Amino acid sequence: VGTGSGQVAVPLRTKLRFGRVIGVDKSEEQLRHQKRAEGVSYVTGDAYSLPVDSEKAHLVTIAQAMHWLDLPKFFKEVRRVLVANGAFAVLGYAVPRINQEEIERLFRHYYEDTLGSLLPLGSLDSYWDCDRVLLDSGFKGVDFDANFRHVERHWIY
């Protein structure tokens, strides 16, 4: 979901050997730049009405896009399409950490103060039109446990 150009869809097929991968994105512009691979198809659609029959998906992934969504509505759709023991994987990248103190300080000033990355969604002083606080926290406070049976969180830096 939110496949963009297929940066996750293609490795799911080529590296992890999923038999069939469907990349879904609401942006036709993003899909025009799709990476191609046998067994990978792309569909213009939204996260709330996935082009998959109920209980047919073994894995649903979303990479660097969940912060744009109405989460209760999206989670309901994920639960609809997943098979009984299916998996839902949320992938994203964290704010970089810089090992040089002065550069880290300058970056933090730019990221937090200039861009307003720590401000709530909708703040006039924030550059972002998405919830960076939610994203940068690794979706802290999102109740995955209420929506899915088994939840694991892994951070890799």
Side-chain angles (χ1 to χ4, degrees):
V1 180
T3 196
S5 64
Q7 295 146 314
V8 172
V10 169
L12 286 173
R13 174 71 175 111
T14 59
K15 304 286 187 200
L16 298 180
R17 306 283 187 221
F18 278 86
R20 179 175 172 221
V21 176
I22 303 169
V24 180
D25 202 295
K26 72 176 190 173
S27 170
E28 290 182 16
E29 178 61 26
Q30 284 286 328
L31 293 174
R32 277 196 270 282
H33 303 284
Q34 64 189 245
K35 298 178 183 325
R36 299 191 181 271
E38 184 179 327
V40 178
S41 61
Y42 296 93
V43 178
T44 303
D46 73 47
Y48 312 117
S49 181
L50 297 173
V52 177
D53 291 336
S54 295
E55 300 178 7
K56 294 293 183 186
H58 293 271
L59 173 66
V60 174
T61 63
I62 186 163
Q64 203 61 23
M66 198 168 79
H67 56 287
W68 297 102
L69 302 177
D70 174 332
L71 296 184
K73 190 174 175 182
F74 175 57
F75 289 167
K76 180 179 178 183
E77 182 65 358
V78 171
R79 289 191 312 271
R80 180 189 70 80
V81 301
L82 280 177
V83 298
N85 290 315
F88 171 48
V90 179
L91 302 106
Y93 46 83
V95 178
R97 294 179 181 170
I98 303 166
N99 291 329
Q100 295 179 358
E101 189 175 322
E102 181 62 13
I103 295 173
E104 172 71 11
R105 187 189 66 71
L106 291 169
F107 171 76
R108 288 287 167 186
H109 171 71
Y110 175 74
Y111 187 74
E112 296 170 4
D113 300 331
T114 304
L115 296 179
S117 300
L118 299 180
L119 297 172
L121 178 62
S123 296
L124 295 177
D125 291 329
S126 176
Y127 168 81
W128 306 105
D129 60 355
C130 63
D131 194 342
R132 290 301 311 184
V133 174
L134 182 65
L135 178 63
D136 292 344
S137 73
F139 298 96
K140 185 177 183 179
V142 172
D143 194 0
F144 288 98
D145 293 306
N147 290 282
F148 303 99
R149 282 194 309 250
H150 179 73
V151 176
E152 293 181 30
R153 289 180 177 253
H154 299 277
W155 285 94
I156 302 169
Y157 288 100

